[in-house]
Amino acid sequence: MDIVYIKELEVETVIGIYDWERKIRQRVSLDLEMATDIRQAANTEDIDNTISYKTVSKRLIAFIEQSEFLLVETMAEQIAEIVLSEFPTPWIRLRLGKPGAVRGAKDVGVIIERGEKPA
């Protein structure tokens, strides 16, 4: 199993359960790992034979910027659904953080794994 990854992608969106959070845009940060087999892409040097991290990033930025969520858990599940249904990967690991949400902590959030992890 090989992994194509995106690390510390930062996007602004409306997220949070408090009234004041519903009136502002806050930054979320995500790390995404997507299982794939890169051998064909390596042999052909053809981007169509792998997962394009640029295409995935652009899709997720557009989705997150246009969405509003109460919980990071809901956002994480919807991101996972998008990646698994729109890109050629059977498994993902996603870390979704909300930097600055808790005083004294650099970041808080969730880490989820979805799909079938190849051997």
Side-chain angles (χ1 to χ4, degrees):
M1 174 184 71
D2 303 315
I3 292 179
V4 171
Y5 73 92
I6 300 165
K7 186 170 182 171
E8 295 182 15
L9 181 65
E10 295 186 345
V11 187
E12 289 194 355
T13 190
V14 175
I15 182 136
I17 59 172
Y18 300 109
D19 289 341
W20 67 268
E21 290 181 298
R22 310 303 304 155
K23 297 174 184 170
I24 63 168
R25 296 183 72 75
Q26 297 181 74
R27 183 170 44 99
V28 294
S29 173
L30 66 89
D31 295 341
L32 179 63
E33 297 178 10
M34 300 166 283
T36 191
D37 184 337
I38 68 163
R39 288 176 288 192
Q40 187 177 5
N43 289 333
T44 63
E45 294 219 67
D46 185 346
I47 190 70
D48 292 332
N49 293 326
T50 190
I51 300 171
S52 167
Y53 44 77
K54 182 176 182 178
T55 303
V56 174
S57 296
K58 288 175 74 172
R59 172 66 172 102
L60 296 181
I61 290 167
F63 169 72
I64 294 167
E65 284 180 339
Q66 296 171 10
S67 301
E68 294 185 10
F69 295 97
L70 296 172
L71 300 175
V72 293
E73 290 84 351
T74 308
M75 182 187 290
E77 288 292 342
Q78 290 188 20
I79 290 170
E81 185 177 317
I82 287 169
V83 175
L84 288 169
S85 67
E86 297 182 16
F87 298 95
T89 182
W91 171 88
I92 67 162
R93 175 183 294 129
L94 170 67
R95 181 204 56 83
L96 181 62
K98 193 174 167 186
V102 174
R103 186 183 315 233
K106 184 175 182 177
D107 196 13
V108 296
V110 297
I111 298 172
I112 64 172
E113 291 185 23
R114 296 292 180 267
E116 295 297 320
K117 190 172 187 177

